Amino acid sequence: MIWSMAMNLTNESYVIRIHTKNFTELYYRDKGGWTKVGSQGNAFPATAEQVLNHVLPALAGIKPGVTIEVEHFDDPEERDLRPPIGRGKN
């Protein structure tokens, strides 16, 4: 994807998935703030600090077996916010 001035780069345009061998968690932001969707499909409010506390160790490589997947959507209404299916990343 080529960057353009019209690209939506707000927090609401991203979906973050954290994968381990045993589970996948989903994080997204909407007008009400950040939300974490756990591996069982339960949604919980989250602060930006909580999201960073989960994302940064994986990005730094100090959590073996943990991967981060970030998806961007110019239109936040197109995001797939369904709960993670299955226990982990195949």
Side-chain angles (χ1 to χ4, degrees), residues 12-65:
E12 290 83 3
S13 65
Y14 297 96
V15 174
I16 303 168
R17 286 184 176 80
I18 300 178
H19 303 282
T20 72
K21 181 176 119 178
N22 298 316
F23 66 87
T24 297
E25 295 177 337
L26 174 83
Y27 294 85
Y28 65 91
R29 182 173 164 85
D30 58 19
K31 290 182 172 94
W34 284 97
T35 299
K36 170 188 173 180
V37 181
S39 60
Q40 301 295 314
N42 300 317
F44 304 95
T47 66
E49 184 174 9
Q50 288 171 318
V51 174
L52 282 174
N53 284 342
H54 287 96
V55 169
L56 291 177
L59 291 176
I62 59 174
K63 287 258 187 162

